Amino acid sequence: MSVRETKTVAEYEAEKKFYFRLAAKFLIVHEQRRIGSIQCGQIHTRALETLIPDAYVISYVSKRALEDPKTMKREHVVPLKVLTVQLSERIKESALDDETLETELAEALQKHLKIALLSTDEMNQVNAIHGKIGTAGFSYNEDNRDTLARL
């Protein structure tokens, strides 16, 4: 699709759904291989970023980051390490068929896989308040109603 072409809302939503289902399927296959006989390590958290275009995950851009783009940093609203560990646990414990599980994971990813573009100072403030990514200082529950509460 060229830069001048635009998508309808329905096309945008269908494409968005496709990418989140693709990421969910990736998580399921990876976890099933870890559980089965194929030895593979923990998923690299950045793998999901390569599957889902920024247009579907960037949910916040701070004014300060826009004013000085050199300081702009990507910050996952829910740390990817936390999210992937929780989703991996859900896969292990699930008795659902793959199709239903894929739908459930895609919905969870769509709700919680969000990126904020912050200035370096803002990112440091978030980490100072909530703890470094992947540490016990950060508390997250998938049932949280406000994914952006960390910011």
Side-chain angles (χ1 to χ4, degrees), residues 30-69:
H30 184 273
E31 197 56 44
Q32 287 172 340
R33 288 183 176 195
R34 284 188 63 207
I35 293 168
S37 61
I38 298 173
Q39 294 296 321
C40 58
Q42 183 70 22
I43 189 171
H44 191 288
T45 56
R46 299 285 180 192
L48 294 177
E49 281 191 25
T50 65
L51 297 173
I52 304 170
D54 281 350
Y56 304 116
V57 293
I58 292 179
S59 59
Y60 177 79
V61 181
S62 80
K63 184 178 177 182
R64 287 171 51 189
L66 283 174
E67 289 170 352
D68 189 2

Side-chain angles (χ1 to χ4, degrees), residues 24-34 40 91 98:
K25 185 174 281 302
F26 174 80
L27 285 172
I28 292 168
V29 169
H30 184 273
E31 197 56 44
Q32 287 172 340
R33 288 183 176 195
R34 284 188 63 207
C40 58
I91 293 166
D98 282 354

Side-chain angles (χ1 to χ4, degrees), residues 1 57 119 148:
M1 185 171 280
V57 293
S119 70
L148 297 175

Side-chain angles (χ1 to χ4, degrees), residues 3 5-6 12 20 28 38 43 58 60 82 93 95 112 117:
V3 175
E5 293 180 53
T6 58
Y12 173 86
F20 280 99
I28 292 168
I38 298 173
I43 189 171
I58 292 179
Y60 177 79
V82 174
E93 296 168 1
H112 298 293
L117 300 178

